């Protein structure tokens, strides 16, 4: 089938009307949700041929409703009662993200340095490159320039990810945290503290985790928790701690709203640290 704009489609679908959209990489064509559903359940998968055309790649499927990429089964709605438990999961080749992941050749040269890590989070945020640079600036300061002890910083971030059941944030910061001194025993202690159980963590680490939980649950740290932490931290360190927790409370909401897919190398972390309610 050929569209009015000369784009060749490799299969025929009933009631399919091209819809024109624009993004940073040029003009793309999508079809209506009805056609998407039909294509998915018929076993077809769309694959961009180049920047200006789209090709439909057929896949044989003995049962049109057995295609694992079909999103019409409704199983996700029953996966967990937690509102963010299904965020960060991709099924087969079905990418969940609500905006495109951009590669270096799709953005202006002056912004390509932001894709050095080449994670899905960074590849999506460069849809707004100046905002992404500002976002990266805060994240980079927290990781490399903050006066807060890096192990305690990473424990606070992990507590936010664990509390919010954010697979992406938690698994990424398990790997990052271990580069900054977080041990498996520390992570086990975080899980125990979250459940109100005792742990072998030192008093300051326990207080910081409590403060992070309070900011997630109650918006703010309690007077008692703030005062307990402040006994051990300078004013600068205390500011860094609060801003770090607040920043990653924001990050999990970006990840959830944009439905950013977790990368396979980070999903492996779930084998050691499964998050309750997250498949």
């Amino acid at each position: 089938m050929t569209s009015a704009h000369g784009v060749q489609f490799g299969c025929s679908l009933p009631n399919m009307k091209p819809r024109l959209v624009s993004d940073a990489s040029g003009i793309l064509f999508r079809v209506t949700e009805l056609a998407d559903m039909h294509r998915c359940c018929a076993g077809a998968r769309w694959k961009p041929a180049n920047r200006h055309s789209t090709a439909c790649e057929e896949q044989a499927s003995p049962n049109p409703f057995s295609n694992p990429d079909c999103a019409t089964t409704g199983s996700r709605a029953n996966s967990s009662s937690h509102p963010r438990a299904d965020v960060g999961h991709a099924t087969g080749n079905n990418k969940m993200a609500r905006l495109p992941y951009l590669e270096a050749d799709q953005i202006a040269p002056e912004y390509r340095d932001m894709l050095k890590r080449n994670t899905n989070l960074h590849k999506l945020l460069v849809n707004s490159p100046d905002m992404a640079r500002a976002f990266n600036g805060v994240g980079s300061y927290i990781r490399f320039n903050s006066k807060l002890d890096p192990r305690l910083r990473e424990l606070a971030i992990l507590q936010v990810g664990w509390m919010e059941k954010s697979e992406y944030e938690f698994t990424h910061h398990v790997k990052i945290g271990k580069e900054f001194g977080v041990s498996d025993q520390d992570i086990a202690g975080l899980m125990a503290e979250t459940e109100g159980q005792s742990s072998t963590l030192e008093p300051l680490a326990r207080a910081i985790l409590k403060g992070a939980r309070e900011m997630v649950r109650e918006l703010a740290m309690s007077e008692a928790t703030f005062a307990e932490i402040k006994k051990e931290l300078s004013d600068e360190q205390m500011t860094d701690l609060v801003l770090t927790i607040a920043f990653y409370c924001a990050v999990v909401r970006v990840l959830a709203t944009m439905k950013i897919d977790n990368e396979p190398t980070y999903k492996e972390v779930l084998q050691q640290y499964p998050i309750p309610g997250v498949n």
Side-chain angles (χ1 to χ4, degrees), residues 207-228:
I208 286 174
L209 292 178
K210 183 178 181 181
R213 292 194 299 273
E214 289 175 349
M215 288 182 67
V216 171
R217 290 170 175 161
E218 308 295 338
L219 186 63
M221 280 189 203
S222 66
E223 291 286 349
T225 302
F226 190 97
E228 183 178 358

Side-chain angles (χ1 to χ4, degrees), residues 129 159 171 199 234 245:
Q159 181 70 88
T171 59
S199 75
S234 68
I245 296 170

Side-chain angles (χ1 to χ4, degrees), residues 84 160-161 164 166 169 247-257:
R84 285 179 288 280
V160 173
E164 297 284 28
S166 175
E169 180 170 308
F247 179 76
Y248 281 93
C249 283
V251 172
V252 296
R253 284 153 179 80
V254 173
L255 293 165
T257 299

Side-chain angles (χ1 to χ4, degrees), residues 127-254:
N127 281 283
S128 176
D130 289 321
M131 178 65 85
R133 190 172 294 286
F135 175 94
N136 288 347
V138 176
S140 293
Y141 181 86
I142 288 172
R143 188 173 305 175
F144 300 113
N145 300 109
S146 172
K147 303 304 187 293
L148 188 64
D149 177 85
R151 170 179 164 270
L152 295 175
R153 175 199 72 219
E154 290 299 320
L155 282 174
I157 296 169
L158 284 168
Q159 181 70 88
V160 173
W162 184 258
M163 289 288 294
E164 297 284 28
K165 297 185 182 293
S166 175
E167 176 190 318
Y168 194 102
E169 180 170 308
F170 181 78
T171 59
H172 277 242
H173 279 273
V174 166
K175 286 182 173 287
I176 294 168
K178 288 186 175 181
E179 296 174 2
F180 288 96
V182 175
S183 67
D184 290 331
Q185 187 175 12
D186 288 336
I187 298 173
L190 177 153
M191 295 176 181
E193 293 287 332
T194 303
E195 297 301 319
Q197 302 170 2
S198 61
S199 75
T200 59
L201 291 170
E202 72 276 19
L204 179 57
R206 294 200 303 270
I208 286 174
L209 292 178
K210 183 178 181 181
R213 292 194 299 273
E214 289 175 349
M215 288 182 67
V216 171
R217 290 170 175 161
E218 308 295 338
L219 186 63
M221 280 189 203
S222 66
E223 291 286 349
T225 302
F226 190 97
E228 183 178 358
I229 298 171
K230 185 63 183 65
K231 291 177 184 177
E232 304 293 334
L233 301 185
S234 68
D235 289 354
E236 182 178 13
Q237 291 171 325
M238 196 72 201
T239 302
D240 284 3
L241 174 64
V242 172
L243 288 177
T244 295
I245 296 170
F247 179 76
Y248 281 93
C249 283
V251 172
V252 296
R253 284 153 179 80
V254 173

Side-chain angles (χ1 to χ4, degrees), residues 13 48 94-95 123 155 157 163 189 203 231 260 264 277:
L13 293 174
N94 181 26
K95 298 300 182 183
K123 289 194 288 187
L155 282 174
I157 296 169
M163 289 288 294
K231 291 177 184 177
I260 295 175

